[in-house]
Amino acid sequence: MSETKNTNENAANLASFDPTGGANQHPQEYYDKIKQKFAEERDLRLNYRPEGTRQFNTNFDAGLSRFGEDSYNKEVKPRAPLNDTVEVLFIGGGFSALLTTSQLREIGVESIRIVERGADVGGTWYWNRYPGAACDVVSYDYLPLLDEMDYVPRDHYAKAPEIFEHCQNIAKYYDLYDLAVFQTTVTSTEWNDEEQLWHIKTDRGDHMKSKFVICANGPMSKPKLARIDGIENFKGHSFHTGRWDYDYCGDNLENLQDKRVAIIGTGATAIQAVPKLAEQAKELYVFQRTPSSIDIRKDWPTDPNWARKLKPGWQAKRRQKTIDGPQLTAKQLEKRASMPVDEKIRRQENANIDHMMWIHQRIDDIVHDKDIADALKPWYMFMCKRPCFHEDYLPAFNKPNVHLVDTHGKGVKEISDRGPVFDDKVYDVDVIIYATGFEVQKTGIYNEIVGKNNTEINDYYSNGIRTLFGIHSNGYPNLFIMAGYQASFQFNITDVLTVQGAHIAACIDHARKSDYQSIDITPEIEEWWVQEVIEHRGKTDRNKDCTPGYYNFEGEDNRRQDGTYNGGFNRYVELLRGAKSKMDDIFIVRK
Ligand code: NDP
């Protein structure tokens, strides 16, 4: 099959909805009425959970620690503590580390250590092994280093095991296993200004030193639980999707055939897991707070003829094409330029609403029961929440063993010893699966990072995040952050990590060639970037208009600089590339 477009492939572009396209199929009152309904549904949710991001718990002590433990490799391999010094140390062994390593190898860095909490590399793809796990970003764009590894994924959308295996192959190819340490959590990272080195301590008694440290812990690696009363009192079994319990469920979920299963949450993870659970569970109760938008995915096996003809450099070219999106004609550009801003926004919003109503129609076409179909309809603009793509999620609700428990924004607030409680009804179940997501884009998740200023990095950020490009913070020399806030957002995170990795390698290369012991950004350049982030975030009203979720800090409206940089990915890339020739202006250096 040749490369054809589908809605998913265009997810990022869809979000910008061409105002010169076919919007305004209906009178404006039609759109205004729907916008009004969006606002009501948002307000309803905000009123139910005014505590914003504090509604979640990520510190799993007091009877919850098992939710964070590794369910795949329970035995911890003994090893002696490490007390050595390396040149570059990565905290985390997922895509960030793997991608950046390849660039560091190119500039001749040999001494690279990955310190990883899991028992292998892979990050997200080590932890997320839930049934049905796959990536709904096109595999040829998403999987890192395909050219370098001479590998073409098996399908248009790669399944989790293939991605995990690809990560392992990268680690082998770049000789990363020799210096890597697994089942190890970094607990403190402290700058020693006299030695001009970072001191890194772990939960395994290590005290390592490194010249450069790269925070590569990923944007979402720490599982979070909603603060629901009674989680620890449940008498049945329970676990988080990021720590799937195959010992309990069976490799193919066969042990669930006589079990009543509850899954809490209907985000991108649940959308993929529910169809698999529906096939095996005796009864499946899906507890929904806000429905996801479910678009077409349309997967297919890679055409070997297409794969064979790929020329070196194909992945970078493909990615750039996807990033650039559909090219507008001169006429369209002219029409766009001459359109007043308000009109542009109105048309974009209307086109967005048309798309969401198409999502609604698709639900009506697939789900037989009208009440269930209605309850599954998302009432918010496209991209207010992470869009989902699946062919089997909606049909699962036609099965007699699958029950939607629509909490209509309230969420589950109580778990009894027998199961989740909603509207005074106890749902008796054998197992509860929490698909409640992950802590978002925090730097130093299990780890305290103390810089030159003797300040922990999150304290330094207490009045708002302060970085340059989302990568450097003043007072934290030789420290680089990947996939954090204040960086540009791309639906395909690999795009972001690739350019960040290249920038980090360029900084390290510059420091090595110039014999610098340390590089630390100036306060002025940091302030410039903070203002850039604020200025560009000001363009959108997403915080105010969208239904709460992690994209808008659960509706917290006061965190303008804590988000992503909205000035466009291509501009972000240009700025990073431009920094290469200005390093001595950007950094305070020490020989
Ligand atoms: P999310 O944070 O997206 O979803 C959490 C879900 O839990 C939401 O539906 C939320 O409802 C619900 N929830 C929270 N508290 C309660 C409660 N008390 N009662 C009932 N429901 C509750 O987590 P996911 O793990 O689904 O996804 C995280 C991210 O991982 C995705 O957004 C995506 O970026 C990534 N991912 C990517 C995939 C891919 O294909 N590339 C696949 C899977 C995940 P509400 O919406 O109301 O807050």
Side-chain angles (χ1 to χ4, degrees), residues 49 130 134 136 265-269 289-290 385-386 411-412 435 437 550:
R49 42 181 144 144
Y130 58 84
D136 57 18
T266 52
T269 297
R289 188 164 71 170
T290 309
K385 275 185 175 289
R386 207 277 191 184
V412 176
Y550 76 82

Side-chain angles (χ1 to χ4, degrees), residues 151-163:
Y151 183 68
V152 181
R154 294 193 276 271
D155 298 294
H156 196 66
Y157 296 107
K159 319 280 176 299
E162 184 186 12
I163 309 176

Side-chain angles (χ1 to χ4, degrees), residues 297-508:
R297 178 164 65 167
K298 209 161 72 182
D299 197 5
W300 61 75
T302 299
D303 176 354
N305 288 326
W306 171 78
R308 214 173 298 124
K309 285 187 215 138
L310 292 169
K311 304 243 163 38
W314 68 271
Q315 194 184 26
K317 266 196 207 141
R318 235 197 94 92
R319 281 219 185 106
Q320 192 56 50
K321 224 172 136 189
T322 313
I323 290 163
D324 291 342
Q327 296 304 299
L328 298 183
T329 62
K331 213 170 161 193
Q332 281 171 315
L333 284 170
E334 198 186 315
K335 197 169 169 195
R336 219 182 234 222
S338 64
M339 201 179 273
V341 176
D342 285 356
E343 178 62 4
K344 217 183 277 178
I345 292 173
R346 187 184 70 83
R347 282 168 165 264
Q348 277 174 331
E349 282 183 353
N350 290 355
N352 189 318
I353 291 169
D354 283 341
H355 182 69
M356 288 307 280
M357 292 306 109
W358 173 82
I359 295 269
H360 283 200
Q361 184 57 51
R362 186 164 177 255
I363 299 168
D364 281 331
D365 292 346
I366 294 172
V367 178
H368 302 158
D369 183 296
K370 186 166 179 341
D371 291 340
I372 298 175
D374 282 344
L376 286 166
K377 289 176 184 164
W379 289 97
Y380 45 80
M381 292 280 185
F382 186 73
M383 285 305 270
C384 270
K385 275 185 175 289
R386 207 277 191 184
C388 298
F389 305 86
H390 216 285
E391 263 75 73
D392 303 326
Y393 178 73
L394 294 170
F397 292 94
N398 293 331
K399 293 188 175 221
N401 63 325
V402 179
H403 317 281
L404 180 70
V405 184
D406 177 32
T407 68
H408 197 186
K410 276 190 190 149
V412 176
K413 297 218 164 26
E414 186 189 344
I415 307 275
S416 81
D417 58 346
R418 288 159 40 209
V421 184
F422 180 66
D423 261 357
D424 298 330
K425 179 173 170 187
V426 179
Y427 290 80
D428 269 293
V429 294
D430 300 294
V431 53
I432 302 177
I433 300 166
Y434 291 91
T436 46
F438 302 87
E439 184 165 49
V440 185
Q441 290 185 305
K442 188 160 174 237
T443 301
I445 36 177
Y446 299 97
N447 170 23
E448 297 208 321
I449 302 172
V450 179
K452 198 174 167 178
N453 42 17
N454 242 339
T455 307
E456 206 288 316
I457 201 157
N458 290 292
D459 292 337
Y460 181 60
Y461 294 160
S462 59
N463 292 322
I465 291 171
R466 303 191 60 79
T467 73
L468 171 66
F469 306 139
I471 299 177
H472 318 263
S473 281
N474 170 251
Y476 299 82
N478 293 0
L479 183 94
F480 306 93
I481 299 158
M482 297 186 75
Y485 280 129
Q486 295 195 346
S488 183
F489 171 81
Q490 275 293 97
F491 195 68
N492 179 10
I493 191 171
T494 312
D495 292 338
V496 180
L497 302 179
T498 304
V499 297
Q500 290 193 329
H503 170 78
I504 292 167
C507 293
I508 292 178

